[in-house]
Amino acid sequence: MKNIVTFGEILLRLTTPGFKTIKQSQSFDGVFGGGEANVAMALAQYGFNVNFVTKVPKHALGRSAMQFLNYFGVNTDHVVYDEQRLGVYFLEKGYSIRPTRVIYDREQSSFACSKINDYDFDIIFENVDWFHLGGITPALSEELFEISLVALEIAQKKGVKTSCDLNYRKSLWSFKSARAKMSILMKNIDVCFGIEPLELPTYDDQDYKDRCEKPFSEEEIKKIMSQLKEMYQFTQIVHTFRTEKSVNQNEISAIVMDDQGFFKSKTVDVQIVDRVGTGDAFAAGMIYGLLQFDSMQKTIDFATASFALKHTIEGDANILDLSDILHFMNADHPLSIIR
């Protein structure tokens, strides 16, 4: 059994019922989630031994969040507790031509107030095979950027494979800051998910942000992936594609580049129950495939199946079993009733 560590913030997610706007709602449905926690829960369903490292308040909400993770098989032995607060985010699901909206309420949360001495990564990384974090974590504070850097450096020294989902969020930090900080962290990353906000080696006076906000062709994406792989010496760099027919119906696919070249998945047409956390499901699927399969094509296909199926699951995390993903990949009639 592979041992995996993820590091990040777990949040209380409050979602409006159905497709109501926040203005309309007098009640919210609560569930716990957050990028690295979602990856941890998905990988635990796939049979790995997963430790989620975070900091939460030592009261009922913090304990409930840990119980939620434990219920889905995630180990929380290295979690730190304090007297602060649990971060919250509000989700208003979009429909048709109205986009989904997220409002964060996470300032001064327990995790956002993390200090470098809170986490002993020499102990945390004992007998660990893989370490994953996302770009949201170093965006939360200067201290968390430094903690992320230290964690990655220790992981690399111990021979732990590392991955990062860039996950740029303009509500958390500027593009300029994100590009500068994430470019530093990438020097200790083996597997990179995404291409922005990293700086290209061909960077000139043109604002790279402007380039990233325009749709890229697949060939342009491949060129950027090739440049970034060479610049940061990634073992793999991965990118997902999404065509939005409406808020509730998307076409998705993915591509990975390693030393052998590019491998692309099939395109899947999905009707969406819940889009949040789909990138985390993809990352978990990719990590699983890289650890378990000897075929890069099978790996990207498995990751895309995980990515697609999460769109059909309410909540932040993909809590489907490994058999569910393999059934979707391999069955002659995957949409038939399973009985």
Side-chain angles (χ1 to χ4, degrees):
M1 182 183 292
K2 299 294 185 180
N3 297 308
I4 298 172
V5 169
T6 72
F7 174 63
E9 182 168 27
I10 189 166
L11 302 162
L12 173 61
R13 166 180 144 173
L14 298 175
T15 308
T16 58
F19 294 97
K20 286 186 177 181
T21 67
I22 289 174
K23 287 181 180 179
Q24 292 175 292
S25 298
Q26 297 182 341
S27 65
F28 294 86
D29 297 322
V31 70
F32 296 102
E36 297 89 348
N38 297 337
V39 173
M41 284 184 274
L43 286 168
Q45 307 318 297
Y46 300 160
F48 290 147
N49 179 35
V50 187
N51 255 289
F52 179 62
V53 180
T54 193
K55 189 177 185 181
V56 295
K58 195 174 184 179
H59 57 49
L61 274 177
R63 289 194 297 270
S64 181
M66 296 305 97
Q67 290 168 357
F68 184 82
L69 288 167
N70 296 155
Y71 178 81
F72 287 105
V74 177
N75 190 305
T76 53
D77 289 348
H78 297 297
V79 169
V80 179
Y81 295 88
D82 72 358
E83 304 301 324
Q84 294 291 117
R85 61 180 290 251
L86 192 72
V88 178
Y89 83 91
F90 297 84
L91 178 67
E92 175 186 292
K93 286 187 183 179
Y95 192 84
S96 183
I97 58 174
R98 175 172 57 86
T100 294
R101 297 181 183 276
V102 169
I103 298 175
Y104 287 121
D105 178 18
R106 63 199 303 177
E107 286 189 21
Q108 298 299 307
S109 70
S110 293
F111 185 73
C113 293
S114 289
K115 300 300 180 185
I116 202 157
N117 293 329
D118 288 335
Y119 311 100
D120 188 341
F121 286 103
D122 279 312
I123 293 176
I124 291 168
F125 290 144
E126 286 183 4
N127 301 314
V128 167
D129 299 287
W130 198 288
F131 174 53
H132 177 80
L133 82 163
I136 290 174
T137 294
L140 297 177
S141 72
E142 183 64 29
E143 188 92 4
L144 274 164
F145 166 73
E146 295 294 338
I147 294 169
S148 300
L149 181 58
V150 167
L152 287 168
E153 288 175 344
I154 293 173
Q156 292 267 288
K157 287 178 183 177
K158 288 181 171 286
V160 178
K161 292 278 286 185
T162 57
S163 60
C164 182
D165 189 339
L166 294 175
N167 267 345
Y168 172 62
R169 298 288 185 269
K170 64 181 179 181
S171 61
L172 298 178
W173 55 354
S174 71
F175 191 92
K176 183 177 180 180
S177 294
R179 182 171 59 197
K181 295 294 180 64
M182 295 307 295
S183 295
I184 293 170
L185 294 184
M186 290 305 105
K187 297 172 184 176
N188 296 290
I189 291 295
D190 294 307
V191 182
C192 177
F193 295 95
I195 59 173
E196 67 168 330
L198 296 185
E199 181 175 332
L200 287 171
T202 55
Y203 180 72
D204 51 28
D205 291 337
Q206 183 181 3
D207 188 350
Y208 182 46
K209 178 179 178 180
D210 291 339
R211 293 182 60 195
C212 279
E213 288 184 341
K214 295 175 183 176
F216 284 164
S217 68
E218 184 175 324
E219 289 309 308
E220 288 174 314
I221 292 289
K222 286 182 176 180
K223 182 179 179 181
I224 293 171
M225 291 172 70
S226 298
Q227 291 174 319
L228 292 175
K229 184 179 183 302
E230 181 178 356
M231 183 176 184
Y232 295 101
Q233 295 297 296
F234 299 133
T235 55
Q236 288 91 22
I237 181 168
V238 198
H239 184 74
T240 57
F241 297 93
R242 183 186 294 274
T243 300
E244 294 162 323
K245 296 180 176 180
S246 76
V247 169
N248 311 99
Q249 186 170 6
N250 292 180
E251 286 184 348
I252 60 172
S253 61
I255 192 169
V256 57
M257 182 189 183
D258 67 4
D259 291 340
Q260 305 303 312
F262 290 95
F263 299 83
K264 187 177 181 182
S265 73
K266 294 179 181 178
T267 298
V268 182
D269 195 321
V270 292
Q271 292 179 320
I272 300 171
V273 170
D274 194 331
R275 176 169 161 173
V276 176
T278 55
D280 305 322
F282 176 81
M286 198 73 202
I287 292 168
Y288 178 86
L290 290 170
L291 286 171
Q292 297 296 106
F293 301 144
D294 57 7
S295 162
M296 192 58 67
Q297 186 62 55
K298 188 173 182 180
T299 296
I300 193 68
D301 288 341
F302 182 90
T304 302
S306 302
F307 180 35
L309 286 167
K310 168 57 188 78
H311 289 76
T312 71
I313 301 296
E314 283 275 8
D316 253 50
N318 184 13
I319 45 75
L320 292 174
D321 292 338
L322 176 62
S323 60
D324 296 317
I325 313 300
L326 294 174
H327 173 80
F328 179 77
M329 287 177 64
N330 300 323
D332 291 333
H333 303 285
L335 304 185
S336 299
I337 297 175
I338 301 173
R339 54 187 169 187

